[in-house]
Amino acid sequence: MGAAFSYLTSEIRFASPCRIDGSRTASRDPDCSAAYLTISDDAADGLEGHGFVFAVGGGEVQLAAIEAVMAIIEHRRLDALLADMGATWRMLVDRTQRAWLAPDGGIAHRAAGAVMNALWDLKAKRAGLPLWRLLAGMPPAALVELVDFRYLSDALSPEEALAILEASLPYRAVRERRLLAEGYPAAAASPGELWYSDDLLERLCREAMAEGFTQIKLKVGANRADDLRRLAIARAVCGPDLAIAVDAERRWGVDEAIAWIDDLSEFDLHWVEDPTSPVDLLGQAAIAQAIAPVPIATGEHALSPVMVKQLLQLNAIGYLKIDATSVNENLASLLLAAGTGVPVCPRAGGAGLSEVVQHLAMFDYVAVSGSMEGRAIEYVDRYHEHFVTPAIVRGGRYRAPVVAGSGSEMLPTSFVDHMWPILSELDGVA
Amino acid sequence: MGAAFSYLTSEIRFASPCRIDGSRTASRDPDCSAAYLTISDDAADGLEGHGFVFAVGGGEVQLAAIEAVMAIIEHRRLDALLADMGATWRMLVDRTQRAWLAPDGGIAHRAAGAVMNALWDLKAKRAGLPLWRLLAGMPPAALVELVDFRYLSDALSPEEALAILEASLPYRAVRERRLLAEGYPAAAASPGELWYSDDLLERLCREAMAEGFTQIKLKVGANRADDLRRLAIARAVCGPDLAIAVDAERRWGVDEAIAWIDDLSEFDLHWVEDPTSPVDLLGQAAIAQAIAPVPIATGEHALSPVMVKQLLQLNAIGYLKIDATSVNENLASLLLAAGTGVPVCPRAGGAGLSEVVQHLAMFDYVAVSGSMEGRAIEYVDRYHEHFVTPAIVRGGRYRAPVVAGSGSEMLPTSFVDHMWPILSELDGVA
């Protein structure tokens, strides 16, 4: 059993959000896409593992990177890879040849993450558990084994990580019951695209309030007068109690960020996301100090835990954002954040992100940080219908998934419909 | 003229250094390789631009990234691209779609750098000048236009960069004459591979001394007893005055680095290169403080000037290493380093690196830092015979190139012989 396995890589593309929303101004980033990986072997259970890297372009490069990572393991047995996911991860990000490609969370690192996530999906399915429960059922020492501490131990040693996980151990069962009963807070990211009309913004804010969300997010940074007008609309609709976060999508330099945020701060900003280059750690620390008490949220573009470690050492962030890729690195980031008390708020919005990141946030609540306070998973009501186990949000809260797996598996029909290049174009070539 | 252009991408692979050196123990990284790009148009001069990204594996991913970057410009005119190299660079690293792939100097960023370097090669050939002279002949304001200051201006404003360049302006001519007469210091990186026998190490140290090098470099970090023995051999052969640098190739965590370097410091280390993760800026600053006065040299794996900016802000490095890719980003790094007085010492050793980086170091001397003090370009006597204008080192100094271009063009026979997959294998497939 497990002596051979096969895999398939595909780019998956979805239509522009602006077309979905009926807004006329085109987005500069018209496609949401994913470099998608499916792994299966000849086991009698017939189960597949699915993983992906979310992107908005460059899918062909990301796919080439995933193929290169798969070449490392294609002669190995899946059951052996699944049995020691810490060793598998270390093998994929080994410091030698591939380190040239990915010192710090770039394409090659994300490719390794997509492979790991596909393996985690398969492992959870074989265990008959949703990923968050699989992880939250693992002994603390086994979780510590999943993390590569080489570049982290000056901030968090394996022993300190073990202590964090062991402190949660007695509370896992009660937290799991609470999570199943109450769900996990969601933050509405729908209202605030820059190209939305004021009317659409107002309507989406009203809908978010009506649906029970307690946090929304607006994009900012293109035009200061627009930002002020749009924030005034959102604050007027939502009242003083709803949390309004803003996202500058890396548009500003350090000094520009400080001045711009100062202008917006009258609207009681919940956080400012990605004010500048995500790898400008000192710049973000300088901004954080200048705009306090408004906190910075960042991290989804600086995927390496080595970068997360430094953001926390610098007190640069009030909230840590994480991406879906990968489970092993996110475990490291969750532990680093728990060690400093910084809440982790996963990004979502792109196809499949909600489905996967909810498992990470829920595992964090049950077994790592032990808290849902100040935390929320982003949510956009888009793309969920393409997944076998779509994320479910009711009353502004994610329901805890109960089906086995990581949530990343697409419906076969959706998969075929969104493959890129599209099949009809390929027919034309052939 | 210039209405159409064509390009070719190829992976170039070279045999393992260990085979070349006759040593028996295999390197874990057996290949030196390059993702190589050739650009030409229908101009009557028939000139081509050549650029590459140096790598030791992962070439197929790097090539896919270069193809993706070329898709951005393939419908444009080469002469228009060459006319405003600052605008061209900003177009290639635009913050939108491709920013997902490369926030910080990874594969996509290097791909954009390879494209820019091919364009610089062509621009220099069309100007009939070696690249260093083309750059050193540009007005300060035109050089400032080549840099994207968005994420740098809190440390170095365009006005400050202009002041640095203008301060060198009166001395350009005299420095150019000195450079042509005396050359630029070279550092011998040949002696110190980890898998070399003690006898080979001793012989290579003697040869480096005899050839007039005043600096050598040894790899360290695999085994502490081996490091101590090998450093004792090198110091005994080279005497107390030769500079001996060591390179840990990112092997250590922060605490491990401090303890290990402390053990080696009796040998009067010129610098410690890449002691830990190249993106652990705070870690490197902590190491630098602990091991002072031994300085850290790093930067070739953290190619983004945003990372260089922070290393300098943290006083983490005594020497800045730079890679050949790319001209525009290296100009930013040279200006940042000049602003703080930190010497820039380019990496070499891989195929084509010496040929290109010498132009950057010489331009730095003539028009930016104005100094060769404490500076040296690495040199390994390998691969140079494959290039049309090989780097020439005599008496421990690089001779200033006088032929037009950037040095990156390979000989057609070498190009065909080292294409990967090799042609005979492709024949077998067909």
Side-chain angles (χ1 to χ4, degrees), chain B residues 14-35:
Chain B
F14 294 92
S16 164
C18 65
R19 274 176 273 161
I20 292 170
D21 297 309
S23 177
R24 300 254 169 191
T25 312
S27 164
R28 294 179 68 200
D29 301 324
D31 290 295
C32 154
S33 71

Side-chain angles (χ1 to χ4, degrees), chain A residues 32-378:
Chain A
C32 154
S33 72
Y36 198 92
L37 170 69
T38 306
I39 297 178
S40 60
D41 63 11
D42 56 4
D45 60 23
L47 294 170
E48 295 175 341
H50 298 253
F52 64 84
V53 179
F54 171 68
V56 284
E60 71 285 12
V61 185
Q62 191 63 66
L63 281 184
I66 291 175
E67 295 276 350
V69 173
M70 289 305 295
I72 304 168
I73 59 167
E74 64 186 351
H75 300 300
R76 301 190 181 240
R77 295 160 48 101
L78 273 193
D79 49 2
L81 295 170
L82 295 178
D84 188 344
M85 297 288 268
T88 301
W89 169 245
R90 281 183 281 274
M91 179 171 63
L92 298 188
V93 292
D94 173 81
R95 288 175 316 105
T96 60
Q97 300 214 7
R98 286 163 298 286
W100 290 86
L101 295 172
D104 49 4
I107 293 168
H109 228 62
R110 293 189 215 200
V115 174
M116 287 309 300
N117 278 19
L119 293 172
W120 277 110
D121 184 50
L122 183 56
K123 189 177 174 87
K125 286 171 177 165
R126 290 205 168 147
L129 293 170
L131 177 62
W132 69 272
R133 287 192 67 183
L134 172 70
L135 293 169
M138 288 173 68
L143 290 166
V144 169
E145 277 297 309
L146 297 173
V147 174
D148 187 347
F149 283 92
R150 174 186 301 261
Y151 298 138
L152 306 179
S153 57
D154 58 315
L156 185 79
S157 67
E159 297 72 28
E160 290 164 333
L162 190 67
I164 289 170
L165 293 163
E166 284 181 340
S168 269
L169 203 49
Y171 306 102
R172 284 184 181 182
V174 64
R175 288 177 190 153
E176 197 170 307
R177 283 198 300 276
R178 185 181 161 202
L179 192 60
L180 288 163
E182 299 178 12
Y184 195 104
S190 305
E193 296 297 341
L194 283 174
W195 62 88
Y196 286 178
S197 69
D198 290 354
D199 286 348
L200 182 59
L201 167 67
E202 188 176 333
R203 175 164 69 80
L204 293 171
C205 285
R206 284 192 200 287
E207 288 176 7
M209 295 281 288
E211 287 162 19
F213 291 97
T214 54
Q215 182 183 330
I216 65 167
K217 188 169 93 174
L218 267 59
K219 303 283 175 68
V220 295
N223 179 292
R224 211 179 296 209
D226 286 347
D227 290 350
L228 289 166
R229 193 187 68 256
R230 289 156 39 76
L231 275 165
I233 292 169
R235 189 49 87 198
V237 171
C238 299
D241 296 332
L242 191 105
I244 301 181
V246 297
D247 183 352
E249 295 191 311
R250 315 173 297 287
R251 286 174 182 268
W252 298 317
V254 173
D255 300 330
E256 191 184 10
I258 293 169
W260 199 304
I261 296 164
D262 188 54
D263 273 9
L264 306 185
S265 58
E266 63 177 293
F267 296 104
D268 186 18
L269 305 179
H270 184 64
W271 74 50
V272 178
E273 191 169 328
D274 289 338
T276 190
S277 164
V279 300
D280 191 351
L281 309 170
L282 299 179
Q284 289 174 100
I287 295 168
Q289 192 166 16
I291 68 173
V294 178
I296 288 180
T298 195
E300 67 193 41
H301 293 282
L303 299 174
S304 158
V306 179
M307 301 298 275
V308 170
K309 174 184 81 167
Q310 296 173 85
L311 287 167
L312 295 169
Q313 286 173 323
L314 287 164
N315 292 313
I317 53 173
Y319 297 89
L320 175 64
K321 305 280 296 183
I322 59 170
D323 184 78
T325 311
S326 69
V327 171
N328 291 62
E329 288 205 314
N330 277 319
L331 173 56
S333 295
L334 293 176
L335 285 164
L336 287 163
T340 58
V342 168
V344 178
C345 296
R347 71 109 67 92
L353 288 177
S354 282
E355 282 65 26
V356 176
V357 297
Q358 61 180 342
H359 290 273
L360 300 168
M362 292 178 190
F363 160 67
D364 177 65
Y365 167 62
V366 174
V368 189
S369 75
S371 174
M372 289 190 273
E373 202 64 40
R375 290 156 171 88
I377 307 165
E378 277 188 346

Side-chain angles (χ1 to χ4, degrees), chain B residues 323-355:
Chain B
D323 184 78
T325 312
S326 68
V327 170
N328 292 61
E329 288 205 314
N330 278 319
L331 173 56
S333 295
L334 293 176
L335 286 164
L336 287 163
T340 59
V342 167
V344 178
C345 296
R347 71 108 70 92
L353 288 177
S354 282
E355 281 66 25

Side-chain angles (χ1 to χ4, degrees), chain B residues 132-144 161-180 331 335 362-370:
Chain B
W132 70 271
R133 287 192 67 182
L134 172 70
L135 293 169
M138 288 174 67
L143 289 167
V144 168
L162 191 66
I164 290 170
L165 293 163
E166 284 181 340
S168 269
L169 203 49
Y171 305 102
R172 284 184 181 184
V174 64
R175 289 177 190 154
E176 197 170 308
R177 283 198 300 277
R178 185 181 161 202
L179 191 61
L180 288 163
L331 173 56
L335 286 164
M362 292 177 190
F363 160 67
D364 176 65
Y365 168 63
V366 175
V368 188
S369 75

